[in-house]
Amino acid sequence: MSDFTADNGPAKAAGKSSLFTQTARTKRRNAAETRFKVYGIGAIALGLFFLVALLFSIITNGIPAFKQTFVTIPVELTEAKLDKNGNRDPADLAKVTTFGYKPLVTNALVAALKEQGIEIPFAKEKDVEDILSSSVAAQVRDTVLANPDLIGQTVDFRLLASSRVDGYFKGRVTRDSLARDKNLDAEHLDVADAMVKAGLMKTSFNPAFIFGSDASESRPEQAGIGVSMVGSFFMMMVVLVLSLPIGVAASIYLEEFAPQNKWTDLIEVNISNLAAVPSIVFGILGLAVFIQFAHLPMSAPLVGGLVLTLMTLPTIIISTRASLKAVPPSIRDAALGVGASKMQSVFHHVLPLAMPGILTGTIIGLAQALGETAPLLLIGMVGFIASNMPDGIAAAFLSPNSAMPAQIYEWAKRADPAYYERAWGGIIILLLFLMTMNIIAVILRRRFERRW
């Protein structure tokens, strides 16, 4: 048999070729496989390079936002200036505006400099106050209103330095750039250097960036992302409470109970199309339906959550249907075979096995919604709306607020470079939120995963 081919013709002479000898065709095939591996490794290496470059850029540009330059000086809270009647009545104390507190802070700064032997190189000594943030008078006032017993005492205050001084110590501002700056000059930097040596000024961790609220464009050193974090949290609560039950219920019906006809086909096609609709379209829809028609409060996390729910539903439905479809038909057949109803087979057997995929798809959808900006801008969730944390649960859902992506966008478009730095810091916090949500997705998947 070995001397003949399949058509009973004589075989080629044996011994001229071997299984261990590569033919030209085999060499070309092996070369193509090697090239494909090289292309794959190169693509992975390129992707990792850009990922590392992105993370390095985010971290190096964002870390300075978590630090701030502070000035620590003793401020005499003169009773004659702050409480002329001496009765500590909150209504009378509130009548003293920041203009009444500003001279106290300026005089305290001048006195502290003189005590340390630091020369004030200005014709008017009060010009040295430009080293401090314009918010320091409000900071002292808020402290006094919260603690009226401090009046008449000399209290040490940890005050914010101006954004230019802060930028000088972070390398963002140079002496050459101050030649074109009308807010500060080189003499202020000389005083700042002397204050650092004297221990009056120090750059340290700034918790107000994480827990504080946005500020006006002239006070970037005071801006924080804390209130926006709260807005994003309650917005995500709305998305989770609405999108998970609605999306899962719709998926179960379409996959397990809906008849296969042209109507269900039309619904499935539209769900797939909605998953590809730009997010700004959902923002326009939310503006028209929830604000202009339903008259819900503008800029509220409730409205933002409703808009993002509409955007997230197609993603959850598609991922949930895929998880349900991945459950082997034998599970359904076995349940029906032992007498379970269709409802029981789905909810007692199929759904628990599909739960890891459902939870993973839901959290990924929430993470996508957390990073959306365009729809939130259309419904008014922009920066510098809420100056304080909301009072109570109802206010957290209904009061005007911002969200982290919208806040980052607002900071990035402002002219002061200090806000650009804060935008990078906000990105770090947003990425931490997204990483946390993805880690939770992995943990839940491992927790509920079952083998069959």
Side-chain angles (χ1 to χ4, degrees), residues 347-429:
F347 283 92
H348 294 176
H349 301 279
V350 176
L351 190 58
L353 294 175
M355 190 58 67
I358 294 173
L359 293 176
T360 301
T362 300
I363 294 178
I364 290 175
L366 291 176
Q368 177 189 359
L370 180 63
E372 288 293 339
T373 304
L376 302 182
L377 296 179
L378 285 173
I379 62 172
M381 293 191 73
V382 295
F384 198 46
I385 292 179
S387 58
N388 296 302
M389 292 291 182
D391 298 326
I393 301 299
F397 285 107
L398 300 175
S399 298
N401 204 335
S402 185
M404 285 190 288
Q407 186 68 76
I408 293 169
Y409 170 78
E410 280 293 311
W411 285 344
K413 75 175 187 177
R414 292 179 182 176
D416 198 312
Y419 274 118
Y420 187 70
E421 174 185 275
R422 270 166 162 66
W424 284 104
I427 291 173
I428 292 178
I429 295 179

Side-chain angles (χ1 to χ4, degrees), residues 123 265 308 322:
D265 291 341
L308 294 181

